[in-house]
Structures are given as structure tokens and as C-alpha cells.
Amino acid sequence: MEKQEKQLSARSASESELQRSRSGRESSHHPRSRSRSPTPSVSSQRQLVAQQTSARRSKSDQQLKSNPQTPCGQTNDTRSATLPRSTSRRSMRSSGHAQPQKKKLFNPFRPIGNLAMRVFRQVVCITPIGKKWAAEKDKKSSTKSAPVSNGDIASVSRLHTFPDAETPGATGLRNLGNTCYINSILQCLSKTDILAEYFCCEQYKADLARSNRINARKYGTRGELTESLATVTKALWCGRYSYEVSSEFKSCVCKYGPQYRGNSQHDAQEFLIWLLDKIHEDLNIASKKKYRPNKSSHGRADDVVAAEALANHRRGNSSFVQDLFLAQFRSSLTCPNCRRQSNNFDPFLCTSLPLPQRADRPVYVTVVYLDAHPKQVKLGVSMRADATVKELRAELSLQTSIPVGQVVLTELYYYGFHRTFTDAQPLSVIHETDNLYCVEVPPATVATGREKLLMIASNRLGAGSKGKKFGSPIVIQISRKAKYQQLQDALLTKLSASLREGVTSEKLGLLFNIRVVDGIPGKSYVPHDVTHPLYVESVDKALQSCDLDGNPKHIKLLLEWDPDTKQAVFTSVEDVIEEHRSVQLLKAEHQQPLVATLPSCFDLYTEEEKLDEKNSWLCPNCRKLQIGTTKRLTLWTLPDVLVVHLKRFKQMASQRVKLSTLVEFPIYGLDMSKHIASRGKSHHDQWSPWKRRDYNEDRDGDTIYDLHAVVNHIGSLSSGHYTAVCKNPVTADWYLHDDERVKLIEQEEIVNKSAYILFYQRRSLGGAAGACSSQARTEHWVYRMPAFDYVPPKIRHPANMSGEANSLSTTCQVRQTR
């Protein structure tokens, strides 16, 4: 009896203590009673545990005395007849006999364990099994939460409906001020069918939710540009476009691309690469960003080296954009000494192809003879494109029989002399439209005790910038000690064929002013009131500036005539230039358009070239810089969407020019098998959780591409305009998108000399070639597209520093008030 009373008293004490601790825990969860809840001490917990243990032992001893026989396989402990230890505690807690909760002490190893677990999960996600598990998990979550699932879009309660007369996707974009380069790129990307489906059906949101937030904030746009691009794509396909959509996209571009602020014109290809890079960083689900250097390729198979380079790139770059546009090219360097070849494999989003050019170029020169008739003859000379001025001087000497030492090459325009060329200059500094003159000068003579000056003079009506050249250039050679009257008489003698009779300095006095070209500003006129006018500082400076590299030492003069004096002195001022037949023959030959094909551009792209001394390569085997190293670029893999950039802008001398070469490119059936180094298929890893189309396993179909969009550049480099020609994937018709103007065009109008960027899609993806039937139209994804209603954001980012956003918002307010 005494033992039972002790057990009852211990049980009642434990229950009361447990009830007090439970009430304390319940009050601690309430925000107002958090400070009031007492925390049991460690000693009280230990006493309570000891009392409970003694009570259980006494109870088990009593049961053992009452039931001494137990079945075989059971122990005498009562815990063996109940649930496991953790389960029994849970059941006791639910029945009111819960054990008192111990205070959790700080475990210093818990943060280390949590960090190790997170690292383990990241490593597992990189493996193929982890990627597959993550894709299935995201697919289930997106099916529950996303408005449009990857597989079943018909479950959406509200879909977009198109009128019978409306063509999906045939919508233009407003030009906000030199934004044609943006509009053309947006039209081509929206007509890339697989990319448009990715944005319009909101499949990008799954990748946006999985993307690395730190990298998107550091390298991307935090998803803002991706959302804005998706809005533009939806507005173009639904026909619900308004200028606010373009304004919001331009504002987002200017926010993260300071170079696009303002209303300046930019290159469309540079904007395309920038846009794809920012969208890739927003959708990048890779957790690594640290670059790992590649191993040496010497003695290793190209497949292994390329796979390692691609895996290293994918460590920090894994997005849907690169899944479509990314491929690899191989850069090979061959040492001319040991013939060792070093291969590097680099990724690319766009292929820039050089255009074939003519090996020769025309040069039109006006030859001015000393004592020949006719005095001026215009010749057409065909020269190599990489020739020099020295070679041109030699060719002119051969055709005109003028010695090389008596040829002066200069430019002469309506206002006078401009440039004088030397032998060391490349021929590219002379353009086809330049007024180039080849002036014959007398041979150099050695005068005893007298210094002779060689002068080339041109007549000019008026002074200053308003003057205008007339007549042909004249050449004289006179002593430097000559007086002003002697200098004027020598010049009048050369002009005697065009002057009236009896015109001399003695009768008429001062007839014109003489200005020295390249003289001292403000002191360039030859004074007529000094004894030796040719011994002035302006003449000395002009002689010093005269480069002797191929040209005789000379000075150039401008004879400035008064209008009344010119009319009273001259009888004829015609500048007669006889044109040689070589000019028309050369123009007819070079006016024929240069036609190239896209395969020939790829051949030129993959052609071997030898590096010069400035680009010498350090051979790892020879361990020294090698001059004459052979370099070659080849395509290693091909992307799903092939972007081809035609390099129409070329830097020539100090300016950039546009090449108008006609490149004939195929619209259907571009075979790329001849331009890749191997026929390995591109890797289609499951980077995104969206449902990919079934790929054609035919090897021949993997290298066949069909055109679906073209960016055209019309005009010159300084005043150009961009348009887009796109194929509608729903109707298979071709449309010309010129900002807001959209019109249907024929297929024969696509290939022209304005093509700048070509968009090709792999035929094995499907839906790129051929016409669409009425049944196929209704099965297109656009008819399962969710309804789109554009709501302008309340807070806009500044479009540019010049106040573009303010002008657009003002226009919006004016339209609303009207």
C-alpha cells in the first residue's frame, strides 16, 4: 500500500508539473503573453524525468508479479508491446500523458550540418537525375499554381479569341524616335515560333522562378526585361498592341542599357546580342558563376575537349535562350615550325560572316600635262584592293609616259587643294568619288647660286570660303629671289592662252592676290610690297609640310581674282577635261553588282588565314612567339535557331562604309552539313521544365534549316533604316514590318542586297517549312493562348536622359483628354 501511494503521488506531481509546462508553452505562442511564460529549469526537468522513470519501473514490477508467464518472443518491458518509442511518446502526448519537453541547447554543429545539406542538394541538382527530379517537381508545382500548364492549356477558363478577319501576329510597332533597330529585332524574335510559344503561353515563368536571384540581380535585369519582352510578344500576337507597350519596353532597355538612352541610332545585331544576353541572365538557373579554365587540347580528342568546354560553360549558363541559340565553334592555331595544332571550343549566339569583295578596285585620275594637248585627260585605272599609292604612281607613269619623279598626286575641289598623297599610304585612303589629280611637274634642276621653287597654282574667283575654282592647274618653276612682279608675270605667261592680248603686270599692276596653301594662318598671303616676297614664314612652313615621300618638293598656291578683274582679263575660263575610254569601260565593269551566295560566305568564314607579326602566337611546344601562324574557324555544333549576321559595314581608312553586295540565301533547305567540323548532334538537355517537341532522329534533318525572318538595312551608314521581313507561322505568309506599317509581300522580294541578319530554324523542330492548312491553323498554339489584357504599370522607369518618357506620358495625357 505504501508503495502504491508513492506511485500515485509521483504520478499526480508529474501530471501537475506537465500541465504547468504545457500552459507555459501555450502562453509562449501568444504574442502578448510571451514574456509571462516561465521556462522550466534544467534541474526541475531532471527531477521530473527521475520521478517518471521510477514510476514506470514500479508499475512494470507490479505487472510482472501479477503475470509471471509471458509468451515466447516477448520481453518483460512494457515498451515492447506498444508502438516504437517515438510513436508512443506522440500517442501519450495526444492522450494527455505527454512527456515534458526538454530545453533545446545550442548545438554548434547544426549550422555546419545545414550548410552541408544545402551543398549536397546543389550538387544533386547538377546531375542528370537531379535535373530530371527538379523538372518533374517544377512541372507538378506549375500545374497547380500556374494559370497555363505546359501540357494542357485547354484547362484554362479564359482563352484569347481571334476574329475571322484578323491574322494573328500581323501587328506593327511604333517608332519612338530612331527605334527601328529595336522594332525589327522584336518582330523577328516574335516570329520565332518556339520562342513566341515560350513567352505567350507563360512557360517562361517556371524558369524565372527557378533562376538564380543573385546572378539575375548582378548580371541580368531581375526579370523586368524578360517580363517586358513577354508583354510585347503577347501584344503582337493578340493584336492588342498600344504604344505604351513599346514605351515600357524602351524604358526597361534604357534602364539596364545606358548606351541605348536617347534617340541615337544603333546597330541591330549589337542590340540582339545584348538583349539575348540579358534575357539569358534572367532565366539562368545555373548556380555557379565562377569560370573554370579549360585543359590543354594537345593529344586529346576533339570530342572530349569540346564536351569539357561545353560542360564548363553550362556550369554558369543554363537557360532556355541558350538552349535555342547557343552552339560551339572551333578555333584552331597551327604552329608553322613544329606543326602543333591547338584547338579551343567557344560558344556563340550569332555567326558573323564576311562578304566576298572584288580583288581589284577602280581609281579615276585626272592627268594634267605640262606641254601636251589636250592638257587634261581623265583616266580609269584598275588597281588591287590592297595596293599602295606608290603602286598607283607607277601605274600612272606606265600609262602616261610621265617619269615617276615628276608625278604629284593631289586632290583638287571647287574651293582649291585638299590633300597630297605619299607613297607609303595605302590605296584605301583614296575613294572612288575623290577628285584625284596627277600633275606633271618639270624635272628637278640644279641652279648655280640660285634656289628654285616648284609651284602648282590654281585660279580661284573670290577670297575666303566663298571662293570657287576655275580653269586648270598651272605649274611654274621660279627663283626664290624673284620679286612679286616677276612672280605675277610668270603666272600670267602660263595663262596666256586664256587671257586677252596685252595683259601684263606693267600695264595693269596688281591683278590677283597669291595665297600659300598650308601656310601660317593669318599670314598666308604673299606680300607684294617687299623685295623678296618668297622668303616669308608662310613659304618656309609650306615647304616643311611638303612630304618628300614620292613627291617632288613643291608648294601650292591659290590665285584669288576679283570678279571685275577676271571679266576684264580672261576670254575663256572653261575647264576642259577629256575623258579617256578606259573610264567608261571600268565603270561598266564595276557597276555590275557583285553577287555572292550564303555558302560562299560560310566558306570565306572558315577559310584559313595567316597571322601577321602583330598577332604572333606563343606556341606551347616551341615556347616562343611564332610569326605566320595559321588560324582557322569552323563550326563544331549547330543551334536550333541559327542567326546569321552579314558584315555589311567595313572600316576603310578613317571611315566606315557599307557594302552593297547581293547575297543570295536559300529560303528553304539550307544544308549546313558542309560547314561543320563534325556531324555530331547538338545536345538537347532538359534545361527547362516545359514540354519540348519531339525531335526528328533523322541525321539528315538535323542540319537542314528554313528561313523565317530577315532584318534589312536600307540606306547608308549615317542615315539608314531597319525593317523586318517575317514569315507568319500560322498562315505561312511573308509580311514586311516597317515600324507600324505591315504589308503582305511575295516570296521573290525577300532576297535583296539590303539583307543584314538572317534567322533560320532547324527543320526537325517542325512548323518552319511549307504552307499551313486550315486544320493545322486551328492546332497552332496561338489558339490555345491565354487571354491577354495589357495593364500599364503604375511606376515607370525613366526611358532616357533626354526626357523621352516625359514626352510620351504627355502625349498619353493629351489623347486621354481628347
Side-chain angles (χ1 to χ4, degrees), residues 528-730:
H528 55 83
D529 54 353
V530 296
T531 305
H532 300 291
L534 298 181
Y535 282 101
V536 293
E537 296 180 359
S538 292
V539 176
D540 293 335
K541 185 177 181 300
L543 289 173
Q544 292 176 1
S545 61
C546 179
D547 198 336
L548 299 179
D549 187 8
N551 291 311
K553 192 173 183 179
H554 67 282
I555 62 174
K556 293 183 281 292
L557 304 176
L558 290 178
L559 311 181
E560 297 180 352
W561 293 80
D562 182 77
D564 297 335
T565 305
K566 172 182 171 292
Q567 187 175 2
V569 170
F570 282 90
T571 59
S572 174
V573 293
E574 294 182 359
D575 190 8
V576 180
I577 300 176
E578 183 176 334
E579 188 175 280
H580 194 262
R581 60 185 182 89
S582 60
V583 175
Q584 295 299 328
L585 293 177
L586 200 58
K587 285 184 178 180
E589 179 182 352
H590 285 267
Q591 280 180 354
Q592 296 179 359
L594 181 62
V595 180
T597 60
L598 192 61
S600 64
C601 295
F602 273 105
D603 293 338
L604 189 61
Y605 175 75
T606 57
E607 187 180 19
E608 291 185 355
E609 61 173 338
K610 286 190 177 182
L611 304 181
D612 54 5
E613 185 178 357
K614 297 181 181 179
N615 299 317
S616 57
W617 174 56
L618 178 62
C619 179
N621 188 28
C622 301
R623 298 185 181 276
K624 65 178 182 179
L625 294 174
Q626 296 292 347
I627 302 175
T629 303
T630 304
K631 180 181 179 181
R632 185 178 183 182
L633 295 178
T634 52
L635 300 178
W636 184 254
T637 58
L638 297 173
D640 290 341
V641 178
L642 179 63
V643 181
V644 180
H645 166 232
L646 303 178
K647 299 170 70 173
R648 292 198 174 275
F649 304 113
K650 182 180 179 181
Q651 186 73 28
M652 297 184 64
S654 60
Q655 62 178 351
R656 295 182 67 189
V657 296
K658 180 183 176 182
L659 304 178
S660 59
T661 305
L662 175 63
V663 180
E664 296 180 348
F665 49 89
I667 300 178
Y668 300 107
L670 173 63
D671 189 4
M672 293 295 297
S673 60
K674 302 177 182 178
H675 309 292
I676 58 177
S678 67
R679 296 197 55 181
K681 292 187 178 181
S682 58
H683 303 277
H684 300 299
D685 291 345
Q686 198 172 15
W687 292 4
S688 303
W690 67 291
K691 185 177 179 181
R692 295 290 298 269
R693 289 183 173 91
D694 295 333
Y695 285 91
N696 186 7
E697 296 298 331
D698 186 11
R699 293 180 61 90
D700 295 335
D702 285 342
T703 58
I704 303 300
Y705 286 80
D706 297 314
L707 186 74
H708 66 275
V710 181
V711 174
N712 294 328
H713 183 270
I714 305 172
S716 61
L717 182 63
S718 58
S719 59
H721 180 63
Y722 287 100
T723 61
V725 176
C726 304
K727 178 183 178 181
N728 193 304
V730 180

Side-chain angles (χ1 to χ4, degrees), residues 223-475:
E224 295 182 19
L225 189 60
T226 303
E227 292 286 357
S228 184
L229 178 61
T231 301
V232 175
T233 307
K234 295 175 185 177
L236 290 177
W237 277 101
C238 293
R240 302 290 181 85
Y241 170 78
S242 61
Y243 82 96
E244 288 122 341
V245 177
S246 295
S247 176
E248 184 62 28
F249 181 79
K250 181 64 167 35
S251 301
C252 190
V253 168
C254 296
K255 178 182 178 181
Y256 294 100
Q259 67 272 23
Y260 297 110
R261 293 174 181 171
N263 296 327
S264 301
Q265 182 66 275
H266 294 273
D267 186 71
Q269 187 261 348
E270 295 178 358
F271 174 73
L272 172 64
I273 299 300
W274 179 87
L275 179 63
L276 292 180
D277 180 68
K278 292 300 181 181
I279 300 301
H280 154 68
E281 293 296 345
D282 286 347
L283 301 173
N284 191 5
I285 62 176
S287 58
K288 303 294 182 181
K289 206 63 183 174
K290 187 177 180 181
Y291 175 76
R292 178 184 297 173
N294 297 322
K295 299 179 182 179
S296 176
S297 62
H298 181 62
R300 306 170 64 200
D302 288 345
D303 295 336
V304 177
V305 179
E308 289 182 358
L310 183 61
N312 186 21
H313 178 77
R314 287 183 176 178
R315 288 180 67 251
N317 301 274
S318 178
S319 68
F320 176 76
V321 172
Q322 294 204 353
D323 192 15
L324 286 183
F325 296 92
L326 186 72
Q328 279 182 302
F329 69 86
R330 183 182 66 183
S331 176
S332 302
L333 294 175
T334 305
C335 178
N337 185 24
C338 63
R339 308 306 300 175
R340 176 176 175 176
Q341 183 174 345
S342 176
N343 296 329
N344 290 329
F345 296 87
D346 299 316
F348 69 91
L349 295 176
C350 176
T351 307
S352 297
L353 301 182
L355 300 184
Q357 302 180 35
R358 298 183 185 273
D360 57 346
R361 53 159 299 184
V363 180
Y364 303 103
V365 187
T366 301
V367 182
V368 181
Y369 293 96
L370 276 176
D371 300 316
H373 186 78
K375 187 175 180 59
Q376 299 183 99
V377 180
K378 189 172 184 179
L379 298 178
V381 183
S382 179
M383 300 293 298
R384 291 186 299 106
D386 56 347
T388 60
V389 175
K390 182 178 181 180
E391 297 178 24
L392 175 61
R393 194 189 304 272
E395 183 65 24
L396 289 173
S397 175
L398 183 64
Q399 294 191 16
T400 60
S401 300
I402 301 175
V404 177
Q406 298 178 228
V407 173
V408 175
L409 293 177
T410 184
E411 271 184 302
L412 187 60
Y413 290 93
Y414 69 94
Y415 54 84
F417 295 99
H418 184 53
R419 293 183 297 172
T420 301
F421 303 97
T422 60
D423 288 348
Q425 291 178 302
L427 196 59
S428 58
V429 300
I430 302 176
H431 304 292
E432 186 177 343
T433 57
D434 292 343
N435 291 335
L436 183 63
Y437 276 73
C438 171
V439 182
E440 180 187 4
V441 297
T445 58
V446 179
T448 58
R450 293 186 179 183
E451 182 183 359
K452 290 236 176 183
L453 284 182
L454 180 63
M455 301 180 182
I456 303 175
S458 176
N459 294 286
R460 184 178 180 181
L461 179 62
S465 59
K466 297 181 180 180
K468 185 177 180 181
K469 180 185 78 72
F470 67 91
S472 62
I474 56 177
V475 179

